Amino acid sequence: MNTATSREIRLAARPTGEPSPADFELVTTGIPEPAEGQILVRNTWMSVDPYMRGRMDDAPSYIAPFALGAALEGSAIGEVVASRAPGIPVGASVSHFLGWREYAVVDAAAATVIDTSLAPEAAYLGPLGTTGLTAYAALTRTAPVRAGDVVFISAAAGAVGSVAGQLARELGASRVIGSAGGPAKTKKLLDTFGYDAAIDYRQGGIAQQLAQAAPDGIDVYLDSVGGDHLEAAIGAIRTGGRIALVGAISGYNTTEPAPGPNNLFRAATHEATLRGMLVSSHFDLFPEWIGKAAGLLADGTLRTEQTVVDGIEQAPDAFLGVLRGANTGKMLVRLTPDSPGLSA
């Protein structure tokens, strides 16, 4: 048994409504040696994502809830420091799903070796990770963008939305509209992420702002928010329009079921499609997406940003910040100070 120690974040309590720091616990543990077929990874980066809020509840869903008193889970990148898996050598950089801890013993089958000559480690949790893949799958499969489409994207300054707006343009959209919270973020949509119009949801009147930005309606909507955003999108959808239901962060902390859109029948009269999407159903697209996105990152066509906090002890605050919209681009926790980030 290794006598070195690792710190990890455990779920201390199941929240009611908005989570608080008291729902998490920082624990120091020993580091076990990897068994045959396993690797020991020193995590360098970890991801915090909105879907993790649902896993804090003890309720049936598409992914199992976090266990009380156990370390949380999530996407992470790290360096292999011990290996009993022939295909993964010491020194390799890998992605895996045992974040929220400084060291992780990972089954080799559950780890993917990443190419850090193609892009920095942090990129594999953002544009080259599941958030980038979500944007790609949503706009090519779930609600495919066609040449000339008008596209509306919610949470447009976040990890998915900041990629999705640029991708919509690459796919032939004639006009791309995004929503974000506050003047700094809406300016970022226009100046950095290439949006044609930006809606500040904090100013209210989403439907009215969308009507001004897209007076003839929209063809595609990528929904990460739900609530008034989804209702506004249905109100603006054109005949044959397509809506990708990716998330509904506006209702994640509610204690009662959130009401649905009051204009749902309009989707029927306009023969629109509302289709749910889980990124895990589209992992077959990963090689294709990484092949495309790495080139776009390298030549500067795809512009990305990240919001970084340092230290495992800061992970709960980073997660709570994501739920409040504190991040621009991908929210990441850097676990080792010498890990270089992804340039904006």
Side-chain angles (χ1 to χ4, degrees):
M1 178 70 72
N2 195 326
T3 58
T5 60
S6 172
R7 294 182 299 166
E8 62 187 33
I9 302 293
R10 296 180 179 177
L11 183 63
R14 298 200 185 278
T16 300
E18 184 175 356
S20 74
D23 297 319
F24 304 88
E25 182 182 17
L26 177 64
V27 177
T28 299
T29 68
I31 305 174
E33 298 286 350
E36 192 67 32
Q38 292 183 323
I39 55 176
L40 176 62
V41 180
R42 180 181 67 117
N43 286 336
T44 51
W45 294 91
M46 58 164 276
S47 176
V48 290
D49 300 284
Y51 80 89
M52 294 174 174
R53 174 61 186 87
R55 296 194 69 189
M56 297 181 76
D57 297 329
D58 188 11
S61 186
Y62 64 92
I63 188 170
F66 293 129
L68 274 175
L72 284 74
E73 300 172 339
S75 297
I77 301 293
E79 178 188 357
V80 178
V81 295
S83 175
R84 297 189 64 186
I88 305 181
V90 170
S93 293
V94 297
S95 64
H96 60 89
F97 204 62
L98 293 181
W100 294 88
R101 65 204 82 190
E102 292 175 317
Y103 286 82
V105 172
V106 183
D107 292 339
T112 300
V113 176
I114 62 172
D115 184 355
T116 55
S117 69
L118 195 63
E121 285 184 343
Y124 288 89
L125 292 177
L128 300 187
T130 54
T131 50
L133 180 64
T134 296
Y136 186 62
L139 298 182
T140 60
R141 282 185 173 174
T142 309
V145 174
R146 301 165 186 161
D149 279 349
V150 176
V151 178
F152 175 41
I153 295 168
S154 60
V160 174
S162 58
V163 172
Q166 298 170 81
L167 179 59
R169 180 79 68 210
E170 288 283 320
L171 293 170
S174 63
R175 185 165 174 78
V176 185
I177 303 155
S179 72
K185 285 189 176 181
T186 52
K187 186 175 188 300
K188 183 76 68 174
L189 296 187
L190 302 173
D191 296 348
T192 302
F193 299 134
Y195 280 83
D196 296 297
I199 291 170
D200 184 352
Y201 68 78
R202 292 180 181 170
Q203 297 300 314
I206 301 298
Q208 293 81 0
Q209 291 188 67
L210 182 57
Q212 291 176 353
D216 296 323
I218 63 172
D219 301 287
V220 171
Y221 172 50
L222 192 162
D223 185 28
S224 297
V225 174
D228 55 358
H229 280 71
L230 178 56
E231 190 169 290
I234 292 172
I237 204 74
R238 298 203 280 216
T239 298
R242 296 152 320 272
I243 296 176
L245 302 173
V246 174
I249 194 170
S250 66
Y252 286 174
N253 289 329
T254 58
T255 56
E256 299 292 335
N262 65 17
N263 57 350
L264 191 58
F265 187 63
R266 191 177 190 280
T269 61
H270 285 69
E271 298 182 303
T273 300
L274 285 74
R275 186 177 179 187
M277 184 201 139
L278 299 177
V279 69
S280 55
S281 297
H282 301 277
F283 283 167
D284 63 297
L285 283 178
F286 247 137
E288 177 182 319
W289 169 240
I290 290 176
K292 292 177 182 291
L296 296 174
L297 278 174
D299 67 16
T301 302
L302 179 59
R303 303 186 68 182
T304 63
E305 291 201 8
Q306 57 185 0
T307 302
V308 177
V309 300
D310 286 299
I312 186 71
E313 68 278 2
Q314 299 300 323
D317 283 343
F319 170 64
L320 298 179
V322 165
L323 296 180
R324 293 191 297 264
N327 56 300
T328 298
K330 187 76 181 78
M331 177 72 88
L332 294 173
V333 179
R334 180 166 44 199
L335 301 182
T336 56
D338 56 343
S339 300
L342 175 66
S343 299

